[in-house]
Amino acid sequence: MTPGAADQAVRLSVDGLLEGVQVVGYDWTYRYVNAAAARHGQRTVDELVGRTMMACYPGIETTPVFAALQRVMSSRRREQVRNEFHFPGGDSRWFDLVIQPVSDGVCVLSIDVTDEHLGAERQRRIEAQLQQAQKMEALGQLAGGIAHDFNNLLTEIIGYCDLAIDAVGEHPVTGDLSEIRRAGEQAAALTRDLLAFSRKQLPELRVLDLNGVISDAGRMLKRIVGEQVDIDLRLAPDLAAVRADRAHIGQLLMNLVANARDAMPDGGKLTIETRNVELDADYVASHLQSAPGRHVQLAVTDTGMGMAPDVQAHLFEPFFTTKEVGRGTGLGLASVHGIVKQSGGNIWVYSEPGRGTTFKIHLPCAEGRPEPTPAEPVDEPAPVATTVLVVEDNPALQALTGRVLERDGCTVLVAASGEEARAVAAAHDGRIDLLLCDVVLPGEGGPAIARALLASRPDMAVLHMSGYTDDAVVRHGVVDGTVAFIQKPFTPDRLIRKVRDTLRGTRSASV
């Protein structure tokens, strides 16, 4: 074979390679490009050979791959890089490049690894989401335990303050007691956020019109953001219903709006949008803990300062805040995360520094018609001749609850455990109208005690109380409306109203 024929055979072999091969001269002119390299560059061979890289791909001189080419031309040492190449039309693909010095410039071998790279990137994101979910679950367990203990203490602080204020009336010490009570209420708000984050609040799930909840909160939202921020409501007219707790959704909305306000200290625009969406398999595959199917999307977008990726990574963690001392607890977005998860949904944040932030919440669609907004409760006189059995293992709370009920005219029996409760009930000859029982007790829990006592006293009403509960019986009963429950911390007035409501409900049902 002659030298010319041999060169032609080599060229044909290189032209037929699946890998891209190109030779770039010192003057940045394409000296040779095979068919695969031209295809990688989304050009034809004729469009490339004889022209400079800058003429073929304007702006390439500012890219990392161009810098790598310069280094190899200067050092005459081989380099291997993975590069994302952005094309003029907006498309981009990933390539593994081997840049080798040759006599008249550099030779670049290219392999398209876009699918491999995106697959690895998707796997990395999923693993990061899984790690974040596990960390949030652990933090939730810790937060829930803290909130439970604090709620018992706060019930005592607030309750005894109310009793003392009622006892002293107009007195110089009344103002001090009121300040103690106010501090207790502020602490109670923090524990509510902790319970929301840890998903240990007991939601009263109802079929809701999300647009209606947003519209009802409109005036309050405007007061939160102030005059410098414009609110744009874009509510889909055909929005599907969702199943959630109305109060918790209101809490979620207020926290998101307050966060947006803080991100726009000089004013801006806040957009609240709802629409129906279908989450497909591709979305679910890249968003851990999402579920496919029909959802209602709530999007809250601000035009504020935005967030860097390192801030976003910790955004929903309790007590994490970028605000100055005294301007935030770091629990607002943590509680939002917990409320969304407890409602069966998911939440994602999209943000860039200087370009604002969008929170997207997806809640599963619910069957049925939305329930109307509940009317304000009407306080009615206490039922007469009421006997209440209080089962509470905390002596201070037991004493406080007994005093509050006795002040309302009730006869109070007390016990600290299931065994004591059965003994007290057996020794009492008369009727027991209500069992007021803590859920979390040493030994038997509240639901087991209630079942045992109801076996011999089927007409007795039952009201559970707790700082939080993981008990499935109580949790499911509260959700479907068959179990009466009061969340700690509660005030004396709220306890009395709940006791009256529970007794009225039981007696009405027995008529």
Side-chain angles (χ1 to χ4, degrees):
M1 182 181 292
T2 64
D7 289 345
Q8 181 66 21
V10 170
R11 180 178 289 271
L12 288 173
S13 297
V14 175
D15 282 343
L17 290 175
L18 295 178
E19 293 80 9
V21 180
Q22 55 187 288
V23 177
V24 180
Y26 287 110
D27 59 356
W28 302 109
T29 300
Y30 287 107
R31 303 292 177 84
Y32 170 78
V33 178
N34 76 347
R39 188 168 58 253
H40 289 171
Q42 298 186 358
R43 294 286 191 274
T44 66
V45 172
D46 290 341
E47 287 174 327
L48 295 172
V49 174
R51 300 180 65 200
T52 66
M53 299 183 75
M54 291 76 84
C56 296
Y57 302 103
I60 195 172
E61 64 273 15
T62 64
T63 64
V65 71
F66 192 85
L69 291 169
Q70 285 180 312
R71 289 194 301 271
V72 174
M73 285 187 180
S74 174
S75 69
R76 311 306 293 164
R77 293 166 59 183
R78 175 180 179 274
E79 284 196 27
Q80 185 171 344
V81 297
R82 176 164 288 191
N83 178 65
E84 183 182 17
F85 196 92
H86 296 274
F87 297 99
D91 186 23
S92 67
R93 297 192 69 80
W94 288 87
F95 298 93
D96 275 349
L97 305 177
V98 177
I99 308 171
Q100 180 77 34
V102 294
S103 59
D104 55 350
V106 293
C107 177
V108 182
L109 307 180
S110 59
I111 300 175
D112 189 332
V113 293
T114 303
D115 292 342
E116 173 192 329
H117 179 86
L118 293 181
E121 181 64 19
R122 172 177 287 185
Q123 183 64 29
R124 186 198 63 78
R125 287 201 305 269
I126 290 175
E127 289 175 355
Q129 290 174 21
L130 178 60
Q131 291 174 355
Q132 181 71 0
Q134 291 171 337
K135 179 169 66 173
M136 297 289 275
E137 188 66 29
L139 287 171
Q141 292 293 331
L142 175 63
I146 292 172
H148 172 264
D149 293 341
F150 269 97
N151 278 340
N152 279 339
L153 295 172
L154 290 170
T155 302
E156 296 176 41
I157 292 169
I158 295 170
Y160 280 111
C161 275
D162 280 354
L163 292 180
I165 289 170
D166 287 347
V168 300
E170 292 295 328
H171 190 278
V173 79
T174 303
D176 295 335
L177 291 171
S178 297
E179 285 300 305
I180 295 172
R181 189 189 190 284
R182 182 188 61 79
E185 289 285 3
Q186 288 181 329
L190 293 180
T191 62
R192 279 195 296 273
D193 284 340
L194 277 174
L195 288 175
F197 164 71
S198 61
R199 287 174 271 169
K200 305 230 185 292
Q201 292 187 112
L202 287 183
E204 296 185 21
L205 299 182
R206 301 290 181 266
V207 178
L208 299 179
D209 172 19
L210 187 59
N211 285 348
V213 176
I214 295 170
S215 298
D216 290 345
R219 187 174 299 175
M220 177 68 73
L221 299 181
K222 187 59 186 175
R223 282 203 294 267
I224 290 174
V225 299
E227 296 299 323
Q228 288 185 292
V229 175
D230 294 325
I231 299 181
D232 181 15
L233 297 183
R234 302 179 183 178
L235 309 182
D238 59 343
L239 195 67
V242 298
R243 185 170 173 80
D245 184 299
R246 178 181 294 272
H248 294 176
I249 294 297
Q251 178 186 353
L252 170 156
L253 193 60
M254 303 248 182
N255 280 332
L256 286 178
V257 169
N259 188 74
R261 173 204 61 201
D262 293 342
M264 300 182 287
D266 299 322
K269 183 177 181 180
L270 174 66
T271 302
I272 302 175
E273 182 179 11
T274 61
R275 65 190 184 105
N276 298 316
V277 297
E278 182 85 21
L279 302 186
D280 58 20
D282 287 342
Y283 182 91
V284 172
S286 59
H287 293 75
L288 193 66
Q289 297 183 326
S290 296
R294 295 172 55 246
H295 287 72
V296 168
Q297 177 178 285
L298 167 64
V300 178
T301 303
D302 65 64
T303 58
M305 60 187 73
M307 294 176 286
D310 60 326
V311 173
Q312 294 181 50
H314 301 282
L315 197 59
F316 297 116
E317 296 175 11
F319 305 115
F320 175 80
T321 179
T322 59
K323 300 171 186 175
E324 60 190 66
V325 176
R327 294 214 51 201
T329 63
L331 286 173
L333 292 179
S335 69
V336 167
H337 181 275
I339 290 169
V340 171
K341 291 299 181 184
Q342 196 169 44
S343 303
N346 61 78
I347 180 169
W348 305 96
V349 60
Y350 305 86
S351 185
E352 293 182 34
R355 302 189 65 177
T357 299
T358 296
F359 288 91
K360 285 187 178 180
I361 294 169
H362 295 129
L363 299 174
C365 294
E367 301 297 330
R369 297 178 59 84
E371 300 180 20
T373 303
E376 290 294 322
V378 178
D379 198 13
E380 298 181 9
V384 296
T386 298
T387 299
V388 181
L389 171 56
V390 177
V391 185
E392 168 63 67
D393 64 315
N394 183 306
L397 278 181
Q398 186 188 91
L400 171 65
T401 305
R403 284 180 59 184
V404 170
L405 293 171
E406 287 172 348
R407 192 179 63 168
D408 199 50
C410 297
T411 299
V412 178
L413 311 173
V414 296
S417 65
E419 184 179 354
E420 280 189 35
R422 283 190 291 273
V424 169
H428 184 72
D429 293 332
R431 176 186 175 90
I432 297 179
D433 300 282
L434 176 71
L435 170 67
L436 176 59
C437 189
D438 197 12
V439 175
V440 181
L441 290 163
E444 292 176 282
I449 296 171
R451 285 193 298 270
L453 294 179
L454 284 170
S456 57
R457 297 176 179 270
D459 294 333
M460 180 180 65
V462 177
L463 174 58
H464 289 293
M465 57 180 172
S466 184
Y468 84 88
T469 178
D470 277 331
D471 186 276
V473 174
V474 173
R475 182 172 291 277
H476 293 151
V478 172
V479 168
D480 63 22
T482 60
V483 170
F485 179 82
I486 184 168
Q487 180 84 53
K488 297 176 184 176
F490 47 74
T491 64
D493 286 346
R494 184 160 166 261
L495 174 61
I496 291 301
R497 284 198 301 272
K498 190 66 180 181
V499 166
R500 293 179 182 182
D501 288 345
T502 303
L503 287 169
R504 273 199 303 274
T506 303
R507 289 174 179 173
S508 297
S510 63
V511 172

